[in-house]
Amino acid sequence: MSLDAKTISVLADRVQHAQDNVHTITKLTDEHPSMSIEDGYAVQEELLRRWTARGDRLVGRKAGLTSKAKMIQMGVDVPSFGMLLASYARPENGAIEMDQLLHPKIEAEIAFVTKDELQGDVTIEQVMAATDYVIPAVEVIDSRYENFKFDLPSVIADNSSSARYVTGGRPRNPREVDLRTIGVAIEKNGEIQALGASAAVLNHPAKAIAMLVKHLADRGQSLPAGAFVMTGGITEAIPVSRGDNVVARFQDMGSVSFRFA
Ligand code: OOG
Ligand code: MG
């Protein structure tokens, strides 16, 4: 880490204020060019302490920037991790309030729910064995940075742009679908916006979980049983506006739909 605890706390204040009051801020690295990826995660940890203190709950984790399409779109080349809170969940077929968001985009992702704890260096096979089910999910990301432009330390401090998530479709046994070849289509108002296949995520979305588990292990943590994990957008993210109807179709897994109100 290059920043001291006091600075981490000040940066957490700034990010939290932007998240709570729906306003943009400049990249944290503009003021702190030496800020590292580890500093970004320290801000995340500080944010988690504040969220839990006010009654929110960590339900799982997200891996992001795990596909080429996303890395190219955002101009970074390493995945980022983030925290998923109970308060971010929204029901399928419902409406997501646009006035609580700045410049949201949607991503189609395969989510995993674990049944065993995962710890240390794990293989894709071990991730599969510890998986209770996989389920289609759409993440609504919303960067707190101006023009959705950031670098890795800044986006990590902003909890990897996490804002909302919706699960739907059919939960599947991970062994009963080919997790590398699930086709996905994102539709907005009946028109296809992006197409992809699940291997776009690190050749196998379970690899994103293995990387997350390694990331946690490096910090003396594990992924508990019952964790909900989103493995990252398969295609580039699609900007949305008020009134948009969204459907993400997942081959063999059903679809997730909702609208922005
Ligand atoms: C960072 C979060 C990326 C994903 O699925 O790739 C992400 C961003 O692009 O704002 O959630
Ligand atoms: Mg995502």
Side-chain angles (χ1 to χ4, degrees), residues 125-140:
E125 255 321 299
Q126 286 170 309
V127 171
M128 299 282 277
T131 299
D132 192 4
Y133 58 89
V134 289
I135 185 167
V138 174
E139 181 173 29
V140 179

Side-chain angles (χ1 to χ4, degrees), residues 62-64 107 109 139 141 230 232-233:
K62 61 173 275 186
E107 302 177 319
E109 309 195 16
E139 181 173 29
I141 51 170
M230 302 198 47

Side-chain angles (χ1 to χ4, degrees), residues 34 40 44 46 48 69 91 93 102 105 136 140 142 167 181-182 187 199 215 226 255:
S34 71
Q44 249 188 49
E46 178 58 30
L48 178 63
N93 300 316
L102 291 160
K105 299 182 193 176
V140 179
D142 193 28
T167 56
T181 61
I182 305 289
E187 286 176 23
H215 162 85
S255 60

Side-chain angles (χ1 to χ4, degrees), residues 175-193:
R175 300 190 181 284
E176 288 171 3
V177 286
D178 179 353
L179 278 182
R180 289 171 309 123
T181 61
I182 305 289
V184 300
I186 302 179
E187 286 176 23
K188 196 168 80 177
N189 305 321
E191 282 185 27
I192 291 185
Q193 307 289 318

Side-chain angles (χ1 to χ4, degrees), residues 62-67 70-71 73-74 76 80 105 107-109 139-143 148 150 152 155-156 158-162 201 230-235 237:
K62 61 173 275 186
L65 306 167
T66 48
S67 66
K70 278 291 310 183
M71 288 185 188
Q73 183 179 33
M74 304 321 299
V76 296
S80 68
K105 299 182 193 176
E107 302 177 319
E109 309 195 16
E139 181 173 29
V140 179
I141 51 170
D142 193 28
S143 178
F148 226 115
F150 47 65
L152 214 43
V155 68
I156 288 167
D158 184 25
N159 196 22
S160 289
S161 311
S162 196
V201 170
M230 302 198 47
T231 53
I234 293 167
T235 74

